[in-house]
Amino acid sequence: MTEYEGVGGLLPPDEREKLTVRLQHAVNVFVDSPRGAVEEADEVLHETVNRVTKTLAHRRRTIRTAWQSMGEGEERTADTERLRLALRDYRETAERLLRL
């Protein structure tokens, strides 16, 4: 999917860390500021969803460009290989999402 490996690999490690710290902060301040904590957690989730959505849309565009740029007509070995790679990338991306 992306160059980011491991759990939560849909975002760069530094972005994941910042969002994780903000979420933990919201949890930690709940006793003193319940509403503020929940508002912060809501914003962290909103930002996370937006960023992951953008990452996935970019990934899909990249995969589509790779196979749709092939010309119509006779399939050659190279074209079949590009299609195989595109299918692999689609499968890997979908499987990662299904594991969430």
Side-chain angles (χ1 to χ4, degrees), residues 6-22:
V7 176
L10 297 175
L11 299 176
D14 61 325
E15 286 186 45
R16 282 196 320 260
E17 179 63 25
K18 287 176 186 176
L19 291 166
T20 299
V21 166
R22 286 180 54 203

Side-chain angles (χ1 to χ4, degrees), residues 18-88:
K18 287 176 186 176
L19 291 166
T20 299
V21 166
R22 286 180 54 203
L23 187 58
Q24 188 58 49
H25 177 264
V27 170
N28 291 340
V29 301
F30 179 79
V31 172
D32 295 326
S33 179
R35 184 176 187 84
V38 170
E39 288 172 350
E40 179 66 12
D42 177 68
E43 185 60 29
V44 170
L45 179 60
H46 177 74
E47 288 179 32
T48 302
V49 167
N50 284 340
R51 183 63 175 100
V52 168
T53 299
K54 287 178 185 177
T55 299
L56 290 169
H58 179 265
R59 180 66 178 151
R60 181 171 180 245
R61 279 191 307 274
T62 300
I63 297 169
R64 285 178 63 93
T65 300
W67 69 267
Q68 285 188 332
S69 64
M70 295 173 14
E72 294 292 325
E74 249 183 79
E75 274 195 325
R76 297 183 311 255
T77 303
D79 292 341
T80 302
E81 179 62 10
R82 285 170 61 182
L83 290 169
R84 185 189 70 76
L85 293 173
L87 180 59
R88 181 201 64 194

